[in-house]
Amino acid sequence: MDSAFGQLTVLGSSLVLLCGLTLLWRRGSAAHINAFAAQSVALAATAGLIAVVTGGRELWVVAVIFLGLKGTLMPILLKRMDRRFGGPRELEPYVNTATSLVIGGLLVVLAYIVTWPILDVSRLPTRAGMPLAMGLIFVSLFVIISRKKALTQVIGFLALENGIALLAMLGTYGIPFIVEIGVFLDALMGFLVMQIVIYRIQETFESIDVEQLNRLSQ
Amino acid sequence: MRLTYLAVVGAPLAAALVAALVRPYRRWAGATGALLSTLSLAGALRLAGQVLAGATPTWGPSEMMRVDALSALLAVCVAFVAALAAWLGPGLGRDEHYTPAQARRFRIFSSLFAFTMLIAVTANNVAIMWVAVEATTIASALLIPLHVSKASVEASWKYILIGSVGIALAFVGTVLGYFDYVHLAGERQSALNWTSLMAAAPAMHPRVMALAFVFIVIGYGTKAGLAPMHTWLPDAHAEAPAALSAMMSGVLLAVALYAIIRWKVVVDLTVGSTLPDRLLLVLGLASLAVAALSLVGQRQYKRLLAYSSIEHTGLMCVGLGLGPLGAFAALLHLVNHAVAKGMMFLLSGRILDRYHTTEMGEVSGLLRAMPVTGGLFAAGMLALAGLPPFGIFFSKLSLVRAGFATGHPWLMALVLVLLLAAVVAMLAQINRMLYGAPPAGVRMGESNRWGLVPLALCAALLVALGLGGFGAFQTLLDRAVEIVSR
Amino acid sequence: MPLQTGYTVAIAQTALALLLAPGLVGLIRWLKARLQNRRGAPVWQPYLELRKLFAKEVVVSSNASWLFRTAPFVVFASTVAVAFLVPVLAAPLPFDSVGDLLVVVYLLLLGTFFLALAGLDPGSAFGGMGSSREMTVAALSEPTVALAIFALALGAGSTNLGQIVARTMADPAAAVSPGYLLAFGALFVVTLAENGRLPVDNPATHLELTMIHEAMILEYSGRYLALIEWAAWLKVLLFFSLLGNLFVPWGVATVLTWAALGWALATLVAKLVVLAVVLAVFETRVAKLRLFRVPELLAVSFVLAVLAITVSFLVR
């Protein structure tokens, strides 16, 4: 566990988690999109690192797809969406920033407690980063719950997927290739559908503030 | 065997393809789709027959797909409701409230929806099952706002966001299960097969699998509409077009429960059934409570039906937590509910077309304006309320017996109280809809009579299932229960 | 090592810190001036300021109480006490037995507390405003200091600062571990907050909207002001020593020989210069945060510290 490989993967995982926490800190969609792009790049780098050390060819493909799809393509699409229906620059989230950050820190500690029994199962050198991946999952869930802009909720969801991918990478050096491909396609399709729905929201409500989505409340 | 399976899943896919290729929409494309859905249903019945004869067909590299009794049971349900929706959905009737473009969109995505659900219930590989369930969210989310309005757009946003988050959590559970298996047995392509997981289950690590199961239940439970993750359900099922609501309420919730059942069987072997049972009991009760309380003040009939779905899913969940007898009750309930809810939503579609309102207060004199529809609607409501001779009465009875048998008498008392509240609320509302004089301006008499035939068939089926069902059905049900309560 | 030598070195170390502190701040100011294309005052200007202030008369508000007169001494004394405990030149030192991380934090807090009270004491509007702002900042930054260093302490198995330094020297690979890097990030932000540097507070401003530290000491003059300013500059040096010596401990003397101490002095000066450059560049680059955004920044550093602890806990 003191091995350089283990340390570096933990470093990569920390960077991924920090980008996730940035979603709680910065306001404004541009910052969020950049944080997501940086997170995907860090994730791709971690995948590449694991691929180099373990010699898994599939992980290389995964790393490249992450870089291309989530690191480049999706941020471009998100920025385009933001330009078209950005709306007001900063919407006050339901929970203010300082409290969100503290809650985010506590969620990471909670992820630690939850993942503790899992660490005993694995003998892989990368297992030290698994609680950080779980922490990112919890933090992304919190982002989705506490943010008001539909676009930010989508970015939170994409960060959640990143967290799950990181968990799979650190726990089992990835999942079987065919499943990975299926997951990617699902993720891409899901993202496109979300785009379409947000477009519809903009059309009908003239804003993407999800507080407006409250007509059905009984 | 292979051919039958191909027919079952290939037919809806082909229907989607046909609808996609035919631009602008033509009725024959819709009719072809409906015929293909009937083919799919026939194939599913044949598969069920093969399973009853003792075979367990598998398909695909490293046995990705596998049909056992549980899969066959659900496949028949899915194919049946899908066929109903295909025959009675937009694009085939005469009184059309949808444009050709909307009808085309419906045909494409509802067929894809059926395809993904069939894949989900026949997958051996739990990851493929997951991919299919995620795909159902994507396929159905685009159809909810078929009629674009503020309400339907809001409903579709909630649906896709909450649904996708839930599915992502279910994936965390899947990854954790894979993680445990791999560290036990070494990496293999078939590591994610349910059969492999079952074989390795006794040796897996209890704490990891317990954690995985919590994620699975919360994740797939979101798709199943279990409280407290149910908030998307009333909106989505109420705003969607009637045929889609029939599929979503009738079988999508069942498919999500199926995923939970598959994992529960594995986790029961690893962790023992106490934790999974307790978790399911808690969530089921919560759903029951939420539904019962929400049904009391409902004003729109489609939302009423949606909350009723939550109530019934809660009941099924409670049943799953009560051992083999409870599992039998749950599965019986699942089949009956699929038929009943499908029928009810399609009937509500007809009511909406005629009365042009979703408020129950504005609908009256149903028995006079549309006698057959009204009659079937009343029958369906009685069925959902759990009155004999309909099947749900017997499944509820089995459930309560199971509860007493496993030593939860107070729990069952609570369940009965909640059920009573729900039933009273529903029946009171429906009574107001059925009797009295229809409001002025509402056309009298049935339109599209042929459309009533499948719905009458459903009602007959409900009675038949209640009176003891078909022998083959009973055997299939028993085999399925065997799988669940190993 | 012989106890007498240890105590001597400790006292010498503190004296050295007191001596170097004005020079450090002068260097930072000079670098900022140069970066802003000005000539700037010479590096030894703060020494001249101190000399001027000690010579000047003290003017005290008629509303002030005994607190106003004693606060500068308390602040100065507590900061000097911290100087005894921080490993500036050598570690471990005999004073370590009475002082460790928590004592350091409490001493710093003592100084901050008295300064805030002194801001309130004369009853001027600026003072009260500065004190309340200072308390907001301190509320989040003090725990972060403790947490960030605690992350390092987890690895060393002791909250004794000298021990932490020794442990890092013994295990170089730990210095690049994620826990250390996260703790460094947290501590850097806290350094900015505790010492009233940009983006938290502008040390050169006297505008009502923007000052925190300056507002609290606005009423002071003469030797009181000299003591407070000197204490503030000493705090900067001590934080820099913490940043330098905890995370990059090579050069800190472990044996008390002239050679080791001389080498320690050289590396200390080098680290201080490097950090001064970093700070000057950073301050020139960054704009001051609006006041209600400051808790957000501090929350970030708090979370970084929490993360540092969780990560270190695992790696252990």
Side-chain angles (χ1 to χ4, degrees):
Chain A
M1 272 258 285
D2 285 324
S3 71
F5 176 49
Q7 295 277 42
L8 281 173
T9 49
V10 176
L11 186 63
S13 316
S14 311
L15 281 173
V16 172
L17 178 59
L18 284 175
C19 292
L21 285 169
T22 312
L23 288 177
L24 287 176
W25 176 30
R26 303 295 301 276
R27 309 181 200 185
S29 294
H32 289 157
I33 298 174
N34 289 336
F36 168 66
Q39 185 183 62
S40 306
V41 170
L43 189 58
T46 315
L49 174 68
I50 300 181
V52 162
V53 172
T54 60
R57 219 174 350 123
E58 297 173 352
L59 267 180
W60 271 120
V61 180
V62 169
V64 167
I65 295 180
F66 260 112
L67 199 58
L69 188 70
K70 293 193 137 191
T72 322
L73 183 63
M74 280 190 183
I76 292 179
L77 290 174
L78 285 167
K79 286 221 164 112
R80 203 183 295 175
M81 267 208 288
D82 184 38
R83 261 205 306 274
R84 275 165 90 184
F85 12 85
R89 275 236 52 201
E90 297 180 0
L91 288 175
E92 274 295 327
Y94 288 114
V95 185
N96 74 38
T97 311
T99 320
S100 301
L101 281 167
V102 173
I103 293 179
L106 290 174
L107 283 173
V108 175
V109 176
L110 178 68
Y112 242 75
I113 300 173
V114 162
T115 338
W116 198 242
I118 299 179
L119 291 175
D120 296 327
V121 174
S122 169
R123 287 289 125 222
L124 295 177
T126 52
R127 71 185 189 275
M130 285 180 78
L132 296 171
M134 188 66 81
L136 177 59
I137 291 173
F138 288 169
V139 167
S140 309
L141 279 173
F142 182 63
V143 168
I144 296 175
I145 302 173
S146 64
R147 305 294 122 168
K148 279 193 192 172
K149 213 165 161 189
L151 197 59
T152 316
Q153 289 179 324
V154 172
I155 297 177
F157 175 70
L158 294 172
L160 175 68
E161 289 185 338
N162 277 357
I164 303 176
L166 184 64
L167 187 70
M169 254 189 256
L170 294 174
T172 53
Y173 291 161
I175 50 183
F177 193 58
I178 189 167
V179 177
E180 192 78 61
I181 293 297
V183 172
F184 271 129
L185 284 175
D186 258 344
L188 185 59
M189 289 292 123
F191 175 68
L192 292 175
V193 171
M194 282 189 184
Q195 240 196 322
I196 297 175
V197 178
I198 291 188
Y199 180 61
R200 286 269 163 75
I201 294 179
Q202 168 68 10
E203 267 188 336
T204 31
F205 288 87
E206 269 120 48
S207 99
I208 54 174
D209 177 1
V210 299
E211 274 236 291
Q212 303 259 354
L213 303 178
N214 58 4
R215 275 155 187 75
L216 303 169
S217 54
Q218 204 183 2
Chain B
M1 251 187 257
R2 296 270 168 92
L3 210 56
T4 322
Y5 182 67
L6 205 58
V8 173
V9 294
L13 194 58
L17 210 61
V18 166
L21 290 174
V22 175
R23 273 191 118 174
Y25 176 73
R26 299 245 185 274
R27 282 193 63 189
W28 62 263
T32 320
L35 282 170
L36 283 170
S37 71
T38 322
L39 176 65
S40 174
L41 177 59
L45 285 168
R46 187 140 184 274
L47 263 184
Q50 288 167 351
V51 168
L52 276 175
T56 318
T58 63
W59 206 74
S62 47
E63 300 199 338
M64 269 193 321
M65 320 296 285
R66 181 172 171 273
V67 181
D68 59 12
L70 185 61
S71 299
L73 189 68
L74 271 146
V76 170
C77 288
V78 172
F80 181 72
V81 178
L84 271 182
W87 281 104
L88 298 175
L92 271 188
R94 243 166 298 150
D95 297 331
E96 272 311 323
H97 297 259
Y98 293 101
T99 69
Q102 284 173 333
R104 176 169 169 268
R105 195 143 39 101
F106 176 81
R107 293 285 147 190
I108 299 174
F109 286 107
S110 64
S111 307
L112 280 177
F113 187 35
F115 168 68
T116 51
M117 281 199 285
L118 286 167
I119 294 280
V121 296
T122 53
N124 190 15
N125 186 322
V126 288
I128 300 284
M129 177 174 78
W130 179 86
V131 168
V133 177
E134 156 103 53
T136 63
T137 314
I138 298 171
S140 44
L142 286 171
L143 277 185
I144 294 180
L146 198 61
H147 250 313
V148 177
S149 72
K150 286 197 173 175
S152 68
V153 167
E154 174 187 340
S156 71
W157 173 248
K158 276 194 200 167
Y159 177 59
I160 192 160
L161 188 67
I162 301 181
S164 300
V165 170
I167 287 292
L169 290 177
F171 193 57
V172 175
T174 312
V175 165
L176 285 174
Y178 176 66
F179 166 78
D180 198 7
Y181 181 87
V182 159
H183 284 282
L184 196 65
E187 193 160 353
R188 259 179 301 165
Q189 193 60 20
S190 62
L192 281 166
N193 280 357
W194 182 76
T195 37
S196 318
L197 286 172
M198 283 292 287
M204 293 211 266
H205 301 92
R207 297 176 77 174
V208 180
M209 289 310 279
L211 184 65
F213 189 66
V214 170
F215 273 106
I216 292 281
V217 169
I218 296 183
Y220 284 121
T222 312
K223 281 295 286 183
L226 293 175
M229 295 90 59
H230 68 286
T231 48
W232 58 272
L233 205 155
D235 304 339
H237 288 205
E239 296 300 320
L244 184 68
S245 301
M247 284 172 82
M248 292 209 298
S249 256
V251 284
L252 182 57
L253 303 183
V255 169
L257 267 182
Y258 164 85
I260 297 182
I261 295 175
R262 283 288 179 196
W263 276 100
K264 178 170 188 289
V265 182
V266 175
V267 174
D268 274 352
L269 283 177
T270 313
V271 178
S273 56
T274 328
L275 173 69
D277 283 348
R278 285 228 183 105
L279 191 55
L280 286 174
L281 278 176
V282 166
L283 287 179
L285 261 177
S287 309
L288 259 180
V290 164
L293 291 173
S294 308
L295 276 171
V296 174
Q298 275 310 313
R299 286 198 307 264
Q300 299 175 349
Y301 51 90
K302 283 180 93 175
R303 279 181 85 90
L304 185 84
L305 290 174
Y307 274 112
S308 158
S309 295
I310 300 181
E311 173 210 337
H312 286 281
T313 316
L315 261 182
M316 288 186 243
C317 213
V318 168
L320 287 173
L322 290 176
L325 196 52
F328 170 76
L331 287 179
L332 182 62
H333 201 112
L334 193 148
V335 177
N336 280 299
H337 180 251
V339 177
K341 223 11 116 40
M343 179 182 88
M344 287 302 278
F345 265 110
L346 288 166
L347 285 169
S348 76
R350 293 177 68 94
I351 298 177
L352 183 60
D353 282 347
R354 178 61 63 83
Y355 281 79
H356 301 291
T357 172
T358 51
E359 296 281 329
M360 284 193 281
E362 294 171 26
V363 174
S364 60
L366 198 54
L367 283 176
R368 264 193 236 171
M370 304 162 87
V372 185
T373 307
L376 286 174
F377 199 69
M381 203 47 87
L382 290 176
L384 283 176
L387 289 158
F390 297 107
I392 292 191
F393 172 72
F394 293 101
S395 57
K396 281 190 189 167
L397 196 64
S398 310
L399 183 82
V400 173
R401 275 175 57 205
F404 279 108
T406 50
H408 293 107
W410 290 111
L411 195 69
M412 290 301 110
L414 184 60
V415 165
L416 285 171
V417 166
L418 290 171
L419 280 178
L420 190 65
V423 162
V424 167
M426 283 209 299
L427 288 178
Q429 303 277 29
I430 293 307
N431 262 343
R432 257 176 268 151
M433 280 174 74
L434 289 173
Y435 300 108
V442 168
R443 222 176 67 212
M444 308 286 277
E446 298 285 354
S447 55
N448 192 5
R449 280 155 208 255
W450 284 112
L452 281 172
V453 171
L455 295 172
L457 182 67
C458 285
L461 196 58
L462 278 174
V463 176
L465 285 174
L467 289 179
F470 316 96
F473 169 70
Q474 286 288 25
T475 327
L476 189 64
L477 191 61
D478 289 333
R479 292 259 182 92
V481 172
E482 257 175 60
I483 297 176
V484 173
S485 46
R486 199 156 303 186
Chain C
M1 64 200 94
L3 219 53
Q4 270 125 330
T5 331
Y7 280 116
T8 323
V9 169
I11 296 173
Q13 166 184 283
T14 310
L16 182 71
L18 272 173
L19 216 60
L20 282 179
L24 178 63
V25 175
L27 178 65
I28 297 175
R29 288 183 191 167
W30 181 82
L31 283 169
K32 277 172 76 173
R34 286 281 157 162
L35 283 170
Q36 291 165 8
N37 227 357
R38 294 183 278 122
R39 292 203 58 185
V43 177
W44 55 86
Q45 181 70 14
Y47 294 106
L48 300 175
E49 277 180 32
L50 279 180
R51 194 177 71 177
K52 169 189 81 171
L53 283 172
F54 272 118
K56 282 200 154 195
E57 178 196 3
V58 169
V59 176
V60 175
S61 158
S62 50
N63 293 324
S65 68
W66 60 270
L67 192 67
F68 191 78
R69 272 176 248 266
T70 46
F73 294 101
V74 175
V75 171
F76 189 74
S78 65
T79 319
V80 168
V82 173
F84 276 110
L85 299 173
V86 168
V88 177
L89 267 188
L93 283 178
F95 282 113
D96 284 350
S97 58
V98 289
D100 68 348
L101 168 63
L102 294 176
V103 177
V104 166
V105 172
Y106 274 111
L107 283 171
L108 288 172
L109 201 54
L110 185 70
T112 311
F113 179 63
F114 266 89
L115 201 57
L117 285 181
L120 285 168
D121 195 45
S124 79
F126 283 127
M129 175 194 81
S131 298
S132 74
R133 288 178 180 176
E134 173 68 23
M135 279 296 118
T136 314
V137 171
L140 267 176
S141 63
E142 294 289 350
T144 311
V145 175
L147 285 179
I149 304 185
F150 190 66
L152 305 176
L154 271 178
S158 151
T159 53
N160 192 307
L161 291 172
Q163 286 275 54
I164 298 176
V165 170
R167 186 258 175 174
T168 318
M169 289 183 77
D171 181 16
V176 285
S177 69
Y180 265 64
L181 294 172
L182 287 168
F184 184 82
L187 204 56
F188 186 74
V189 174
V190 164
T191 306
L192 300 174
E194 282 279 323
N195 295 298
R197 318 295 313 183
L198 288 164
V200 177
D201 178 19
N202 191 342
T205 184
H206 285 90
L207 297 173
E208 171 189 345
L209 276 176
T210 52
M211 55 177 176
I212 301 181
H213 186 252
E214 293 299 314
M216 287 190 293
I217 63 177
L218 206 57
E219 293 285 330
Y220 278 110
S221 51
R223 59 180 185 278
Y224 293 155
L225 185 58
L227 283 176
I228 292 185
E229 292 271 36
W230 206 353
W233 299 335
L234 181 60
K235 215 161 117 171
V236 176
L237 185 135
L238 289 174
F239 267 94
F240 275 14
S241 315
L242 274 177
L243 276 174
N245 287 344
L246 282 181
F247 293 94
V248 190
W250 295 279
V252 175
T254 41
V255 287
L256 297 179
T257 65
W258 284 112
L261 287 173
W263 177 237
L265 181 60
T267 51
L268 176 71
V269 170
K271 289 175 196 171
L272 288 177
V273 169
V274 166
L275 282 170
V277 170
V278 168
L279 186 64
V281 170
F282 187 73
E283 285 204 297
T284 316
R285 201 57 190 78
V286 144
K288 185 171 164 345
L289 278 178
R290 295 165 70 180
L291 195 62
F292 66 86
R293 299 287 199 126
V294 170
E296 293 174 10
L297 179 65
L298 292 174
V300 170
S301 72
F302 180 76
V303 171
L304 283 178
V306 168
L307 278 181
I309 291 187
T310 45
V311 173
S312 313
F313 189 55
L314 236 206
V315 172
R316 195 170 54 106

